[in-house]
Amino acid sequence: GRGVDREKRNNNTAFCYNTQFSKPNATQRQVQETIIMNQTPEDDFFKRREKALKRYDDEIRWYERVKQSHRRGYQLLQFCIIVFSGLTPLLILIDGFPKPLQALPAAAAGMLTAIVAIFRVQDNYTRFAYTLEMLKSEKFKFETRSTKDYRVNVDDQKALERFVSKMEELIINEVADWRQTTTKKEEEAE
């Protein structure tokens, strides 16, 4: 299978490296040239595959972190809005409580509501969560070779090209959506 062939190739490269350059006069360039000459297109494929998977693992971690941050922010703001909204009637019931302090929770709740609307915290959380799930789904499909784009009978190179293309498309679409939302927000402000 592929694993055995790859192991043989790695052993042959190591053997070639050890026998040809055990002498002290071997230059770094000679070592690099020999390693390059002993590489096959499959080596290049595996390097590209690993590079792509590392990139998208990093992207998935970033989206997870940012999604969680926006989710926590949204929930905290909503919690504060509810608490401040509920405090206002209670403070009004207390005799002798200064009027400005009675109005303070309602004012804070109103400001927090405006902050949620202006910064679209919930929209950002939802957009990041959706993109994250799409990235994870596409990665799973690629790794399991389970859809028509990645079936086992699809050439490895072709499957990798489709995977990279789809993953980049998902990321670009999220950025485009963010840009459109930001542009719309700026136009509304004018």
Side-chain angles (χ1 to χ4, degrees), residues 9-125:
R9 224 180 19 260
N10 288 343
N11 289 340
N12 289 342
T13 301
F15 176 77
C16 179
Y17 172 79
N18 290 335
T19 57
Q20 288 183 351
F21 299 111
S22 57
K23 301 174 190 166
N25 61 355
T27 66
Q28 182 68 23
R29 183 177 177 159
Q30 287 173 317
V31 172
Q32 288 172 343
E33 287 173 359
T34 300
I35 291 172
I36 289 169
M37 287 183 342
N38 289 320
Q39 287 180 341
T40 65
E42 228 175 70
D43 289 332
D44 180 52
F45 167 77
F46 286 115
K47 286 179 185 176
R48 290 185 313 113
R49 183 181 189 279
E50 289 307 310
K51 186 175 183 177
L53 288 172
K54 181 186 179 322
R55 169 171 163 59
Y56 300 123
D57 284 341
D58 291 346
E59 289 292 326
I60 287 170
R61 278 192 296 278
W62 184 87
Y63 276 99
E64 184 67 48
R65 190 175 63 250
V66 173
K67 177 197 83 164
Q68 292 299 332
S69 170
H70 281 266
R71 182 183 58 84
R72 280 190 224 104
Y74 175 71
Q75 290 173 337
L76 177 64
L77 289 170
Q78 290 298 91
F79 176 79
C80 291
I81 290 168
I82 292 167
V83 169
F84 289 144
S85 296
L87 276 177
T88 302
L90 294 175
L91 293 177
I92 291 173
L93 293 175
I94 299 174
D95 288 333
F97 205 75
K99 297 273 186 205
L101 291 180
Q102 290 176 347
L104 189 61
M111 288 186 286
L112 290 174
T113 301
I115 288 171
V116 168
I118 290 170
F119 291 108
R120 300 178 187 213
V121 182
Q122 184 179 16
D123 293 345
N124 289 337
Y125 159 66

